[in-house]
Amino acid sequence: MTSISSLIRVLLPKVQVLKEDEAREEIQRNHSSCRAKDVTRPAKLPVNFFSTRSPVIDLFRGQLDYADHLRQDSEIVLYFFYAPWCGQSIAAREEIEHVASRLSDQVLFVAVNCWWNQGKCRKQKHFFYFPVIHFYHRSFGPIEYKGPMSAVYIEKFVRRVMTPLLYISSRSKLLDFLSNYEPGVLGYFEFNASPQPPGYLTFFTSALHSLKKDYLGTIRFGVITDKHVAEEISLVHSGSVYLHRHVNTSLIYPNDIMNYTAENICKWALENREMLIRWLRPHGGKSLLLNNELKKGPALLIFIPYNPLAEIHPLLDEITKVALEYHSCNKSQAAEPVLQHLGDVDSPAFDSPVPDVHTELSETFSITKYPCCNTVVLPQWHSISRTHNVCELCINQTFGVKPNKVNVPHCNFLEIEAALDSFYLQEHTFFQVISNTIECSNFLSFYSPFSYYTACCRTVNRHFLSFISSEKTIFQTPKVAFSSHGKKDKDDTQNSIPHIEDRNCFIPDLHDNGTNITGLSCRTNKTLNLYLLDSNLFWIYAERLGASRSTHLKEFAAIVDLKEEVHYVLDQNQSLTGSTLENFIKNFSILYSPLKRHLVDDPSVHFHAQRIITEVTTNTFHDTVFSNEKNVLLLYYAQWCGFCASLNHIFIQLARLLPPDNFTVARIDITRNDLPWEFMTDRLPTILFFPHQRKEQSVKFPEDFPVNLPNLLKFILHYSSLSSSDHCTKECLHKETVLQQGHISHLEREIQKLRSEISALHQAHDKLEEQLSKARREEQRLQQQKHTLEKQHKTLQLHSEQLQSTYDQKNQELLAMAEKLQELADASENLLKENTLLRILVASKEGKLQLKDKAKEPVQSEQTLSDDNDVSVSTAATTLGEKRIDNIDTIETEHSSENRTG
């Protein structure tokens, strides 16, 4: 029993430890199995992105196959691929619904959720941005729309996809088409023979290709079915394609060189198009669009509120007219009808069956109103004369030959050279002419019987030649006389109007609408590229260029010259019209431009009269630095410059030391203010000193010198105009003496202040020394206490170790005594058991003795019995002794086994 109980006491803790280990292993197995499982939350099922009442079919589960099935039954389809979480998609949703509400009866609008991972759209399409708009015109597509996500722009593009070709049925519509600022491609097809003449579908597909390659839709395609209208642009054969260009020669598609395919026609039109004005539409993200365009040269950026769906754009027509005149370098006749049409859009002259007098006149000399001409200034006819003969030499066609107004060949340099040769051979005819009237003479060309030359000359004073480029009309009522080698020819009066590109003051008829901007792009090295931006979408760019934020009419124009790092702003008090743009362009183009460079100012600066350091902005830079009669010390800094901020206290001390009547300490934040290029810097901080008598000779603080108060004072005093050694009068010396005395008194006061501050610092230093001595004594006392405490700590640690060893020893002794007591308890228990057994034996013996007494057996038998009892008692005693020895041995064996197990 004792061995079993001791074994249980020994094994029970081990069993508990094993159970705990098994429990931990089971928990770890469960935890690892939980981590191995997918604990991500599945995506929610998509819901409708568009309203159920919307005309847009919303395939919010990404059913791209069903969208393709719907496309088979519709002629025009718009796909709107979106992501439900995308902010741009959410913003464009309303615009798409607005367009769909207007065109849902003609166009099928389908929206597809291309973000849900279980949809086919997500699996088949891989878009890098959202939303994406694709158009399909029957089987042709997709045509991706990349324009602004605005309803008017999207609707305009949808209508271009619906009708990629414009039907030109009359001459007035032809002029409307050609007068547009966008390049135009016209095709002539006869629909009499068949419903679809050869090449028409190819031409139709090329218009769709142009929309696919040029999302801005800058090329307009039109189709002519009337033979007489086609003849106006020299199209005779059906299937001919004509590319109209305002300035350069218009082109006809070369069928003999290129195959007549839709891709080739589109490529040919894109490569040869003429861009007088270009729209800029930044998409809002990171882009090099503006940088690439501005690197091409000076740019005129015009911001106008533009509605693509409007039928008329008066302001855009004025800008187109200015651009056309600006690029008309040789006043080509092709541009003249367009200018007339833009100048008088409402004139019904072209639609009238009976032309009036004005129409007849324009038809009469339309061939020679702007012929190919060159100005020739003949030398003075006498050495003492102050007069010159100025002639205009023009190349004219024969009267019987009359090309079309819309397609007139341009000047050829060889023809001009031949005309000059013929003119100089007959120079004596025009050399001695002295007349206040303009006399013109015609002489045949030596190279072509179908052309002749016209020379119109007049005598002018020598000083008048300096005004050749002015806009003043010298001859208010000139008398024009014509002769052919001395013979007057009145019939040639209308045909001899010369063209002078940059000297149009000689002949008043050449003042086209009173402007001399015509051909200016070819007469200056500062040619402008014209760009348009919709102020309804991109007004933030105008504000960054200098437009007012409070204006209600969002019209703005600015010239940006990236190479010269300048830009000019059109006065916003003037209305944006064609005349103001012309003056703006002319003022920029002349050699010494009167335009004032616009500099961006910091509007957050508030000026305080009590500030020691003056804060300078772009608007106050000139007044503070140059107009100020003081010496100016200017610090260039930026908000992000940490070292600049560390100089503030130095400049505050410097401003307090310098007399305010003679010195100004200022600073300017160059990140928020523009400066003239000669005062720009690429290092911060930069310190410039402007002496008041030599402001143009500014001095830069040396970069290798540390910026501190003594160095700044030495730098200022060295370059200050007060130390100038120029010759001075007594009054000047007296003023200088007064100034120096005031300066000395000011410095003495400052020195006195410094001395008082130094004495105060000395007193504070003494007090600080006393406090330091007390602190040192306290530190020594604390050190002594520390050492005493360390010794006590060591003593206590030793005592603790001794107590611990004593405790361990006593604990072992107690354990040994407990074991002995346990052994004694077991032995006493065994002795009690043996005592009980002896009592039982004694009782049985006494019973037997009583029985013997009662029976009264003989004495012999008693003696025999006594002997037997002695033998049994000795035997029992012997047996009990052996059992006690066995018990003791058993106890020792169990104790030794317990020690081994423990």
Side-chain angles (χ1 to χ4, degrees):
M1 290 296 293
T2 57
S3 62
I4 294 174
S5 62
S6 62
L7 185 61
I8 290 173
R9 287 197 304 270
V10 172
L11 293 178
L12 184 60
K14 295 184 178 182
V15 171
Q16 291 178 353
V17 171
L18 288 175
K19 288 183 178 181
E20 290 178 359
D21 294 338
E22 291 178 358
R24 290 193 189 97
E25 291 177 0
E26 186 67 23
I27 291 171
Q28 290 179 357
R29 285 195 297 270
N30 294 335
H31 183 64
S32 61
S33 62
C34 292
R35 291 185 64 182
K37 294 180 181 179
D38 188 6
V39 295
T40 58
R41 183 179 180 181
K44 293 182 180 179
L45 293 176
V47 296
N48 286 318
F49 189 70
F50 287 85
S51 174
T52 55
R53 294 173 294 179
S54 174
V56 181
I57 299 175
D58 189 8
L59 304 179
F60 57 90
R61 292 180 181 268
Q63 304 99 309
L64 192 61
D65 51 351
Y66 184 64
D68 294 336
H69 174 71
L70 293 175
R71 182 167 60 87
Q72 296 176 0
D73 300 332
S74 301
E75 183 177 2
I76 308 296
V77 180
L78 183 148
Y79 281 173
F80 179 73
F81 299 102
Y82 67 89
W85 53 265
C86 175
Q88 286 82 357
S89 301
I90 296 172
R93 173 174 55 188
E94 185 178 353
E95 307 295 331
I96 294 293
E97 285 185 338
H98 181 74
V99 178
S101 63
R102 292 170 56 88
L103 300 176
S104 59
D105 55 340
Q106 305 175 60
V107 180
L108 178 64
F109 290 83
V110 180
V112 184
N113 181 1
C114 216
W115 184 255
W116 192 46
N117 56 358
Q118 301 298 326
K120 287 190 175 182
C121 182
R122 177 69 180 274
K123 296 177 181 179
Q124 297 181 10
K125 302 288 184 180
H126 303 283
F127 297 120
F128 296 98
Y129 56 89
F130 289 101
V132 177
I133 298 178
H134 285 174
F135 288 92
Y136 287 89
H137 191 287
R138 295 179 181 173
S139 60
F140 185 88
I143 303 173
E144 185 176 357
Y145 173 75
K146 298 180 181 179
M149 289 298 170
S150 177
V152 289
Y153 281 93
I154 297 174
E155 183 177 348
K156 178 66 175 179
F157 195 82
V158 172
R159 293 186 183 275
R160 291 287 287 268
V161 175
M162 292 169 57
T163 56
L165 298 180
L166 299 177
Y167 177 59
I168 310 299
S169 59
S170 64
R171 192 165 181 269
S172 62
K173 291 185 178 180
L174 176 63
L175 279 176
D176 286 337
F177 184 87
L178 298 180
S179 63
N180 196 285
Y181 67 94
E182 296 176 338
V185 178
L186 289 169
Y188 168 53
F189 300 95
E190 292 182 352
F191 284 82
N192 298 329
S194 62
Q196 289 185 357
Y200 174 74
L201 290 179
T202 303
F203 185 70
F204 184 89
T205 308
S206 67
L208 294 176
H209 271 286
S210 69
L211 292 176
K212 186 176 182 179
K213 294 182 179 180
D214 185 12
Y215 69 94
L216 295 176
T218 55
I219 300 183
R220 305 164 73 244
F221 282 75
V223 60
I224 301 175
T225 59
D226 190 347
K227 181 178 180 180
H228 299 289
V229 177
E231 289 177 352
E232 295 290 336
I233 55 175
S234 302
L235 293 182
V236 179
H237 303 287
S238 178
S240 301
V241 179
Y242 172 85
L243 174 62
H244 174 67
R245 300 194 294 186
H246 294 283
V247 177
N248 297 313
T249 305
S250 299
L251 303 176
I252 296 179
Y253 184 77
N255 293 323
D256 53 343
I257 299 176
M258 302 176 65
N259 294 329
Y260 193 85
T261 61
E263 292 82 359
N264 286 343
I265 294 175
C266 179
K267 181 181 178 181
W268 170 75
L270 290 174
E271 290 178 352
N272 296 282
R273 63 181 173 177
E274 183 182 69
M275 299 292 293
L276 299 179
I277 311 175
R278 181 177 176 182
W279 280 97
L280 294 181
R281 297 192 177 106
H283 55 73
K286 289 184 177 180
S287 173
L288 295 176
L289 174 64
L290 289 176
N291 180 65
N292 294 335
E293 295 300 329
L294 293 178
K295 285 195 302 185
K296 296 178 181 178
L300 173 59
L301 304 177
I302 306 173
F303 295 82
I304 59 172
Y306 180 69
N307 182 10
L309 300 178
E311 295 182 359
I312 58 174
H313 301 90
L315 181 56
L316 185 57
D317 292 339
E318 289 191 43
I319 297 173
T320 303
K321 185 178 179 181
V322 172
L324 186 56
E325 291 178 347
Y326 180 67
H327 289 284
S328 297
C329 296
N330 55 0
K331 277 204 168 183
S332 66
Q333 186 181 346
E336 177 60 21
V338 176
L339 290 172
Q340 291 181 354
H341 187 69
L342 289 173
D344 190 10
V345 179
D346 300 330
S347 176
F350 295 107
D351 293 332
S352 176
V354 180
D356 55 9
V357 178
H358 177 72
T359 306
E360 291 180 357
L361 286 175
S362 63
E363 292 289 339
T364 301
F365 61 91
S366 62
I367 178 176
T368 57
K369 186 171 184 181
Y370 297 111
C372 188
C373 302
N374 189 59
T375 303
V376 180
V377 180
L378 296 177
Q380 57 195 38
W381 67 276
H382 194 275
S383 59
I384 62 174
S385 175
R386 301 180 60 84
T387 61
H388 291 264
N389 283 350
V390 179
C391 301
E392 284 299 314
L393 180 63
C394 301
I395 303 173
N396 291 331
Q397 295 282 343
T398 312
F399 293 109
V401 181
K402 186 177 180 180
N404 281 291
K405 293 172 58 177
V406 191
N407 186 19
V408 174
H410 294 282
C411 287
N412 190 342
F413 179 76
L414 297 177
E415 293 179 358
I416 285 289
E417 188 176 9
L420 288 173
D421 292 340
S422 300
F423 174 77
Y424 285 121
L425 288 175
Q426 302 184 20
E427 183 179 346
H428 63 279
T429 306
F430 312 96
F431 185 71
Q432 295 181 355
V433 176
I434 302 177
S435 175
N436 291 328
T437 62
I438 302 173
E439 296 187 0
C440 298
S441 298
N442 298 323
F443 53 96
L444 294 176
S445 170
F446 294 103
Y447 299 96
S448 175
F450 301 104
S451 63
Y452 68 97
Y453 305 140
T454 299
C456 298
C457 302
R458 182 179 178 183
T459 304
V460 296
N461 293 328
R462 188 189 305 176
H463 65 82
F464 176 71
L465 293 177
S466 61
F467 298 98
I468 283 178
S469 299
S470 66
E471 295 183 10
K472 297 180 180 179
T473 303
I474 304 301
F475 309 118
Q476 299 295 335
T477 57
K479 298 178 181 179
V480 182
F482 298 88
S483 64
S484 178
H485 297 288
K487 181 180 178 181
K488 293 184 179 180
D489 190 357
K490 295 182 180 180
D491 297 335
D492 295 343
T493 303
Q494 303 292 343
N495 296 331
S496 60
I497 300 176
H499 160 52
I500 309 172
E501 293 180 359
D502 57 345
R503 302 172 178 87
N504 52 9
C505 60
F506 283 96
I507 301 176
D509 292 341
L510 295 179
H511 284 280
D512 187 24
N513 296 331
T515 178
N516 65 348
I517 198 176
T518 305
L520 186 58
S521 63
C522 299
R523 291 187 281 113
T524 178
N525 291 329
K526 301 165 70 175
T527 303
L528 285 169
N529 299 316
L530 276 62
Y531 298 98
L532 290 173
L533 292 94
D534 189 355
S535 59
N536 295 325
L537 301 176
F538 309 111
W539 188 247
I540 184 174
Y541 295 96
E543 291 180 351
R544 291 178 180 177
L545 288 173
S548 176
R549 291 183 173 87
S550 60
T551 180
H552 299 288
L553 185 62
K554 293 185 177 182
E555 294 178 357
F556 179 74
I559 294 176
V560 179
D561 192 345
L562 196 63
K563 183 179 179 181
E564 299 296 332
E565 296 184 357
V566 295
H567 82 276
Y568 307 97
V569 173
L570 182 64
D571 187 6
Q572 298 185 61
N573 295 325
Q574 300 179 8
S575 60
L576 186 62
T577 59
S579 60
T580 56
L581 283 177
E582 290 174 0
N583 294 329
F584 192 40
I585 294 173
K586 286 186 290 185
N587 289 332
F588 172 77
S589 301
I590 63 178
L591 184 59
Y592 299 101
S593 175
L595 296 177
K596 184 179 179 181
R597 177 188 177 188
H598 181 78
L599 300 174
V600 179
D601 194 9
D602 186 6
S604 63
V605 175
H606 301 283
F607 299 97
H608 302 281
Q610 302 298 327
R611 293 190 65 170
I612 299 176
I613 299 179
T614 304
E615 191 73 25
V616 181
T617 63
T618 301
N619 294 333
T620 62
F621 180 82
H622 188 274
D623 295 335
T624 305
V625 176
F626 291 100
S627 299
N628 193 356
E629 296 183 355
K630 302 178 183 179
N631 300 290
V632 180
L633 184 71
L634 183 62
L635 168 67
Y636 290 17
Y637 77 100
Q639 294 291 339
W640 48 263
C641 177
F643 185 65
C644 301
S646 65
L647 302 178
N648 289 338
H649 70 284
I650 297 177
F651 274 79
I652 292 173
Q653 292 179 5
L654 182 65
R656 289 174 177 172
L657 287 176
L658 296 175
D661 296 335
N662 300 324
F663 291 91
T664 297
V665 180
R667 66 174 188 171
I668 184 170
D669 187 354
I670 63 172
T671 59
R672 296 187 178 183
N673 298 276
D674 286 341
L675 293 176
W677 62 269
E678 61 269 18
F679 297 107
M680 291 301 295
T681 181
D682 56 353
R683 184 180 182 273
L684 291 179
T686 298
I687 303 172
L688 291 181
F689 180 68
F690 298 85
H692 82 85
Q693 292 182 356
R694 303 182 303 277
K695 289 296 180 69
E696 70 281 357
Q697 300 178 3
S698 60
V699 186
K700 184 179 180 181
F701 186 80
E703 297 179 358
D704 53 348
F705 279 30
V707 182
N708 52 39
L709 190 60
N711 288 341
L712 285 174
L713 284 172
K714 292 177 183 178
F715 171 71
I716 292 172
L717 294 176
H718 178 70
Y719 292 102
S720 175
S721 58
L722 290 177
S723 61
S724 176
S725 60
D726 296 339
H727 180 70
C728 190
T729 62
K730 293 182 178 181
E731 185 179 359
C732 178
L733 290 173
H734 178 71
K735 290 182 179 179
E736 186 175 357
T737 304
V738 172
L739 290 174
Q740 289 180 357
Q741 289 177 356
H743 192 194
I744 292 171
S745 61
H746 177 75
L747 291 177
E748 288 178 352
R749 289 194 298 271
E750 294 296 331
I751 291 172
Q752 187 65 29
K753 290 180 181 179
L754 290 175
R755 287 176 178 173
S756 60
E757 290 179 359
I758 290 171
S759 62
L761 288 174
H762 281 300
Q763 294 177 2
H765 180 267
D766 295 337
K767 292 181 180 179
L768 185 60
E769 286 292 337
E770 292 178 0
Q771 293 178 357
L772 287 175
S773 61
K774 291 180 181 179
R776 291 192 187 97
R777 290 193 296 271
E778 185 69 20
E779 182 181 5
Q780 292 177 358
R781 187 179 61 81
L782 292 175
Q783 288 290 341
Q784 293 176 358
Q785 291 182 358
K786 179 181 177 182
H787 292 312
T788 305
L789 292 175
E790 287 178 354
K791 290 179 181 179
Q792 293 178 357
H793 176 70
K794 290 180 180 179
T795 304
L796 291 174
Q797 190 172 3
L798 292 173
H799 186 63
S800 175
E801 291 176 357
Q802 292 176 359
L803 291 176
Q804 183 67 30
S805 60
T806 306
Y807 170 77
D808 295 337
Q809 183 179 0
K810 296 297 181 180
N811 190 20
Q812 292 177 0
E813 292 178 356
L814 288 174
L815 289 175
M817 291 179 65
E819 291 177 356
K820 291 179 180 180
L821 290 175
Q822 184 66 33
E823 292 176 357
L824 292 174
D826 294 339
S828 63
E829 184 178 357
N830 293 330
L831 290 175
L832 289 174
K833 291 179 180 178
E834 292 175 356
N835 189 18
T836 304
L837 182 60
L838 289 174
R839 286 180 182 177
I840 293 171
L841 291 175
V842 170
S844 62
K845 185 64 178 175
E846 288 178 354
K848 289 180 180 181
L849 292 173
Q850 290 177 1
L851 290 174
K852 287 180 180 181
D853 292 335
K854 290 180 179 180
K856 294 181 180 181
E857 292 179 358
V859 176
Q860 188 178 359
S861 60
E862 290 179 358
Q863 188 177 356
T864 304
L865 288 171
S866 63
D867 294 335
D868 293 334
N869 288 331
D870 293 333
V871 172
S872 61
V873 169
S874 63
T875 303
T878 303
T879 304
L880 290 174
E882 291 176 356
K883 288 182 178 181
R884 185 180 297 107
I885 293 170
D886 293 336
N887 289 332
I888 293 171
D889 294 337
T890 302
I891 291 170
E892 291 179 355
T893 303
E894 290 178 356
H895 180 66
S896 63
S897 62
E898 287 178 358
N899 291 333
R900 284 194 302 270
T901 55

